[in-house]
Amino acid sequence: MAEYPDDLREQVEGYLEGLRFSQIPPTEGLEDAMRYSLLAGGKRIRPVLALATARSVGLDPERVLPAAAALELIHTYSLIHDDLPAMD
């Protein structure tokens, strides 16, 4: 087993890599752009904290993995949104 919290971060990374988004023709290429930003790396502190909290109260971290991933998706969105010049 990896060292704590690396085991939790690896769980999050694996889950995020497995996510798939819309693949209908009008959104062709959008998934690649989303995955590029999402999987660019990082500490994943938000989802790791969610999994660690679940573990600390006796829950299997797998149960909260979708919610933890949602936190990371929102965080990634906020970083991109903040960089858009039209949003200033």
Side-chain angles (χ1 to χ4, degrees):
M1 180 165 95
E3 287 191 39
Y4 180 82
D6 286 339
D7 63 318
L8 297 176
R9 186 186 50 75
E10 290 169 7
Q11 267 187 291
V12 170
E13 288 292 339
Y15 188 85
L16 292 174
E17 287 172 10
L19 289 178
R20 292 295 176 260
F21 306 99
S22 177
Q23 296 178 348
I24 59 174
T27 61
E28 190 173 322
L30 182 59
E31 180 172 4
D32 291 336
M34 292 170 67
R35 291 178 62 72
Y36 175 82
S37 297
L38 180 64
L39 302 176
K43 297 176 287 238
R44 309 290 192 211
I45 191 68
R46 291 155 193 83
V48 166
L49 283 173
L51 298 183
T53 300
R55 184 183 278 170
S56 73
V57 297
L59 291 175
D60 180 4
E62 288 279 329
R63 287 187 59 194
V64 297
L65 200 46
L71 291 171
E72 192 64 17
L73 288 166
I74 293 168
H75 173 65
T76 301
Y77 162 79
S78 72
L79 293 174
I80 295 166
H81 185 272
D82 186 51
D83 288 341
L84 297 173
M87 299 299 179
D88 286 340

